[in-house]
Structures are given as C-alpha cells and as structure tokens.
Amino acid sequence: MSEVTAPAAAAARLAWDGWRPPDTRRRLQLALGALWLLAAILQYQHVMFTRSFSQSLAATAAGNPAVLAHPIAWTASLVGQHVVALNGVFATVQLVLALGIAWRPTVRIALAASIGWALAVWWLGEGFGGVLTPAPSPVTGAPGPVILYALLAVLLWPRDSAAAAPFTAARAVGAPAARALWLILWASLAYFALLPANRAPLALHDMITGMAAGEPGWLTAIMHAAGGPLAYHGLAASIVLAVLLAAIAAGCYLPRPVARATLILAIVVAVAIGVIGQALGGILTGMSTDPGSGPLLILLAIAYWPERAGQDAGLAARAAEFAGEH
C-alpha cells in the first residue's frame, strides 16, 4: 500500500510546493469574474425573457443624439422580436466571460472579450450610461456600470510593466496612465454632479426616493431617510458631492497616507452611491441586469491602494518571473 501511495503523495507535495496564493491582482480578477457571474445570473431571470427587457433597452435611447439613438432603438426592436433566444445568448456570453476570467489559462482571452462586450453593451444596452443626455448623474450610475467592467479589465490585464508599480492598477499600463484614468473617471463624476439638472432644489431628493419604488421595506426606509433631508437643498448637496468626488480624483497624485485616505473616501462614496443612489442596482426588484456601479467603484479603489515598499520589490520579482515564463 505504501509503495502505491508514495508516488501520489510525492506528486501532491510537489504540486503544493509549486502553488502560490493569488496576489492582489488575481484576487481582483476573480472578484471581477464574480460580478460577471452575478450579471449572468440576473440576465437569466424570467422577466428578462419577456418584452420588459427589450422595453428597458429602448428606454436608454431617450436623450441621446439621434445618430447614436437609432442603433439602440433598432437593437431593442430586434431583441423584442427574438427575446428568448437573444437574451439566452446575452446571459450565456456573460457566464462564459465569468468562467473565462476565473480559469487562469483563459484569463487574457476572457478579459479581452469582456472589453468588447462591455463597450457594445454600454452603447446598445445602457445608452452610453446617460453621459450624452442632459442630466447624467453619478448618483444614478453615470457613466454606466458596464464601462467600469471594461476599465477594470484593462487595469487588471495580466501583464507587468518594466518599472515596479506603486499600486496594482499600474502594473499593466504604468502609473501615469493608471492615474490619468482614475482622474478622468472621478473628475467626470464631479462634473456630472454640478450639471444644472442635478443642482435643482429637488434633484437629488427625487433621484434617491424615485429609485426606492419596488424595493424591500428596509431598503426603501434607508433611501427615504437619506433623500428626505436633501429636499430643496439640491444646490448645496451637489456642490458637496462634487467637492468629494474632485478630492477623490486628485487623491492618486498625493502622498501615500493622503492617497489612502482618499481611497477610503472613494469606497465610502461608492457604498453610498450603490445603496442609497442605485438601490443595490435594483437587483432586489427582479428587474435588474447588474448590481450597479457601487461594487465596481470599490474594486477600482482597491486596485489603486498603494503598495508597501516590500510589496513593490515583490511585484518586480513577479514581473521578472512572468517574463521568464512567457
């Protein structure tokens, strides 16, 4: 018996010795895959196989320029005519993306495919997240959750630049490009917060309380408690929100202790947007296809968390090892 089991035990021991726990980037990749899996599960809901799904797609065309709105309306019409087949395809694509990201040998293919899929959905399924309409708001999800999937796929690409990265998001594209992407995202959110439609006296109040329809009682109570005090204080609330978002945007250019503080603020804001502004993406109503932008913004903040000096050296060593293997 010992002669039979000894080789197997030795092989298992060698496999264990060669195994390395996933680093921060791999954990974030797996978290991104989990969000794609959740999106696939939501897409498989019964209501998505009815005309309600095509009607929700058609609604995203409103307010967009005609040249961009027509393809959205055409897509919604096509989906309405073949909703069962096409929704099954959409859900299965997202399931395959999730599994591809989770399986290390296919992570590059899956991340690349997720970028293309996310861009297509951003246009034809989300109407560019409302950024071309008169009143995009960070509270309700602008610039659209799905574009954040694409951004995360780029930042979490399994490649290491030559220089040691100060944070995980900089490993694939370099620190200057990663910081510029962070600045563009959060500065655009600050800009959206100050648009005239979002500064109206009841703007934020109506956004938040309007999202509460159809939600469970406990979530409705939270949203009304948060939105109630904002009534007739839209200007002040939008200015405060814009200042917070602008501080977050600049945070990645600041010294590490300050950068960490702004990243914590980003996580707090993301939680508030996800829970209070977007009602957890509406997933508790049975009518949502994604959990909203909150979880994605949290993943982004974690990807920008400054590494310790020792971790920087470890990243450089892993980059050299990666280059040797590939």
Side-chain angles (χ1 to χ4, degrees), residues 107-149:
V107 65
R108 282 184 176 83
I109 296 173
L111 287 174
S114 74
I115 294 171
W117 180 257
L119 292 175
V121 174
W122 189 50
W123 179 5
L124 302 174
E126 287 190 352
F128 297 98
V131 298
L132 301 178
T133 64
S137 171
V139 175
T140 54
V146 74
I147 196 63
L148 300 180
Y149 284 91

Side-chain angles (χ1 to χ4, degrees), residues 50-308:
T50 69
R51 289 189 177 272
S52 294
F53 176 47
S54 62
Q55 291 168 358
S56 68
L57 294 178
T60 65
N64 279 295
V67 67
L68 301 176
H70 287 319
I72 299 173
W74 179 85
T75 301
S77 175
L78 179 65
V79 171
Q81 295 170 30
H82 310 282
V83 64
V84 174
L86 290 179
N87 185 69
V89 171
F90 298 159
T92 302
V93 166
Q94 294 177 157
L95 176 61
V96 170
L97 291 176
L99 296 178
I101 293 171
W103 192 36
R104 195 183 291 270
T106 59
V107 65
R108 282 184 176 83
I109 296 173
L111 287 174
S114 74
I115 294 171
W117 180 257
L119 292 175
V121 174
W122 189 50
W123 179 5
L124 302 174
E126 287 190 352
F128 297 98
V131 298
L132 301 178
T133 64
S137 171
V139 175
T140 54
V146 74
I147 196 63
L148 300 180
Y149 284 91
L151 177 58
L152 280 163
V154 171
L155 296 174
L156 299 178
W157 189 263
R159 169 187 175 275
D160 288 293
S161 58
F167 45 84
T168 299
R171 289 177 61 183
V173 301
R179 289 190 174 105
L181 290 170
W182 177 270
L183 177 66
I184 292 169
L185 171 63
W186 288 94
S188 68
L189 297 181
Y191 168 75
F192 294 150
L194 290 176
L195 290 175
N198 297 326
R199 301 197 310 263
L202 288 171
L204 281 175
H205 169 272
D206 291 349
M207 287 180 200
I208 294 172
T209 56
M211 286 294 297
E215 300 294 340
W218 62 270
L219 184 54
T220 299
I222 292 174
M223 297 177 71
H224 279 282
L230 299 177
Y232 302 102
H233 299 289
L235 176 59
S238 64
I239 292 174
V240 170
L241 178 59
V243 169
L244 293 177
L245 294 171
I248 294 169
C252 63
Y253 291 96
L254 301 176
R256 287 188 180 189
V258 183
R260 290 191 179 99
T262 59
L263 288 170
I264 292 172
L265 176 61
I267 293 172
V268 172
V269 170
V271 171
I273 288 175
V275 176
I276 298 172
Q278 299 174 26
L280 302 175
I283 61 176
L284 301 180
T285 65
M287 296 291 292
S288 173
T289 57
D290 64 72
S293 61
L296 295 157
L297 292 173
I298 293 171
L299 287 187
L300 273 173
I302 296 171
Y304 279 82
W305 191 263
E307 302 281 2
R308 296 189 298 272

Side-chain angles (χ1 to χ4, degrees), residues 10-84:
R13 186 161 52 252
L14 287 172
W16 175 258
D17 291 340
W19 180 84
R20 293 191 305 272
D23 61 6
T24 302
R25 180 169 64 189
R26 183 57 183 154
R27 294 190 186 101
L28 289 170
Q29 289 172 352
L30 293 172
L32 179 61
L35 289 176
W36 275 117
L37 177 60
L38 176 57
I41 293 171
L42 294 172
Q43 197 72 52
Y44 277 120
Q45 293 177 107
H46 172 73
V47 69
M48 299 303 164
F49 290 92
T50 69
R51 289 189 177 272
S52 294
F53 176 47
S54 62
Q55 291 168 358
S56 68
L57 294 178
T60 65
N64 279 295
V67 67
L68 301 176
H70 287 319
I72 299 173
W74 179 85
T75 301
S77 175
L78 179 65
V79 171
Q81 295 170 30
H82 310 282
V83 64
V84 174

